[in-house]
């Protein structure tokens, strides 16, 4: 396992190890240059049985507020979207880019809402995936100042898949 300071990335990597699925952890400390364009690196390349996954992990607390609408944060940097789409083109088939939303479930009452949970270092996580090309199709600007994008709640519910359904273990 790579040494990771981000507990969401570390939890997902530990989860991948527990499944025995082949993967490569990417060193994100340096950006790649491609045709004079700087590209953000993905977090993992994972065997997806029939294709290869270019994954970027998005760590979020599941319960960030008391309103139901605030449970499913699905925002990203616009640079993450464009970089992953570019990597998908660079690698070509059979590579596909996806976001993994790693939710830290902070309220034990919420654990029953998730089919795919993973305990890691005293925390419980749920992992959901969304294809980046679908995310890009439906994304909306969240903050122009911070260059962040998000999905409407209804769209995110339609596109997200629990990890165990996205790529069966």
């Amino acid at each position: 396992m790579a040494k990771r300071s981000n507990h969401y990335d570390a939890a997902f990597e530990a989860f991948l190890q527990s499944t025995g699925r082949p993967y490569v952890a990417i060193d994100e400390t340096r950006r790649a240059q491609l045709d004079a364009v700087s590209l953000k690196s993905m977090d993992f390349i994972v065997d997806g049985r029939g294709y290869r996954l270019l994954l970027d992990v998005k760590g979020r607390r599941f319960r960030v507020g008391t309103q139901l609408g605030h449970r499913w944060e699905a925002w990203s940097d616009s640079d993450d979207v464009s970089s992953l789409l570019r990597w998908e083109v660079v690698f070509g088939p059979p590579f596909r880019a996806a976001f993994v939303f790693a939710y830290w479930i902070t309220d034990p009452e919420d654990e029953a809402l998730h089919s795919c949970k993973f305990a890691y270092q005293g925390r419980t996580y749920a992992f959901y995936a969304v294809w980046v090309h679908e995310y890009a199709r439906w994304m909306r600007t969240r903050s122009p100042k911070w260059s962040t994008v998000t999905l409407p709640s209804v769209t995110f519910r339609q596109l997200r898949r629990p990890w165990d359904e996205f790529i069966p273990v």
Side-chain angles (χ1 to χ4, degrees), residues 23-135:
Y23 73 94
V24 175
I26 305 301
D27 178 4
E28 299 176 76
T29 58
R30 297 187 183 185
R31 292 176 67 100
Q33 288 290 122
L34 181 66
D35 297 330
V37 175
S38 175
L39 294 178
K40 180 190 176 290
S41 297
M42 72 283 306
D43 296 313
F44 300 96
I45 299 174
V46 177
D47 174 35
R49 298 206 177 115
Y51 46 88
R52 304 293 178 256
L53 302 170
L54 307 171
L55 301 178
D56 191 29
V57 176
K58 301 289 166 206
R60 308 284 181 258
R61 285 185 185 217
F62 183 68
R63 193 169 212 143
V64 293
T66 57
Q67 297 176 358
L68 291 178
H70 289 207
R71 288 185 179 184
W72 297 97
E73 291 287 333
W75 61 270
S76 177
D77 295 326
S78 58
D79 185 31
D80 295 339
V81 176
S82 59
S83 290
L84 280 170
L85 289 173
R86 185 74 187 266
W87 281 121
E88 196 175 66
V89 170
V90 168
F91 280 92
F95 289 86
R96 295 187 70 190
F99 286 127
V100 173
F101 288 90
Y103 291 101
W104 171 21
I105 305 169
T106 57
D107 186 337
E109 291 181 18
D110 292 335
E111 289 184 19
L113 299 172
H114 307 279
S115 65
C116 183
K117 296 178 289 291
F118 183 71
Y120 178 73
Q121 295 187 345
R123 296 177 176 147
T124 302
Y125 298 86
F127 304 114
Y128 292 81
V130 174
W131 296 114
V132 174
H133 72 275
E134 290 179 349
Y135 189 100

Side-chain angles (χ1 to χ4, degrees), residues 102-168:
Y103 291 101
W104 171 21
I105 305 169
T106 57
D107 186 337
E109 291 181 18
D110 292 335
E111 289 184 19
L113 299 172
H114 307 279
S115 65
C116 183
K117 296 178 289 291
F118 183 71
Y120 178 73
Q121 295 187 345
R123 296 177 176 147
T124 302
Y125 298 86
F127 304 114
Y128 292 81
V130 174
W131 296 114
V132 174
H133 72 275
E134 290 179 349
Y135 189 100
R137 179 177 177 206
W138 297 102
M139 70 185 184
R140 303 288 182 261
T141 299
R142 181 179 191 234
S143 169
K145 179 180 179 181
W146 297 102
S147 297
T148 56
V149 293
T150 193
L151 293 177
S153 297
V154 171
T155 304
F156 186 62
R157 278 194 300 275
Q158 292 170 345
L159 297 180
R160 73 174 185 241
R161 296 288 177 265
W163 183 260
D164 58 345
E165 292 177 20
F166 188 73
I167 301 295

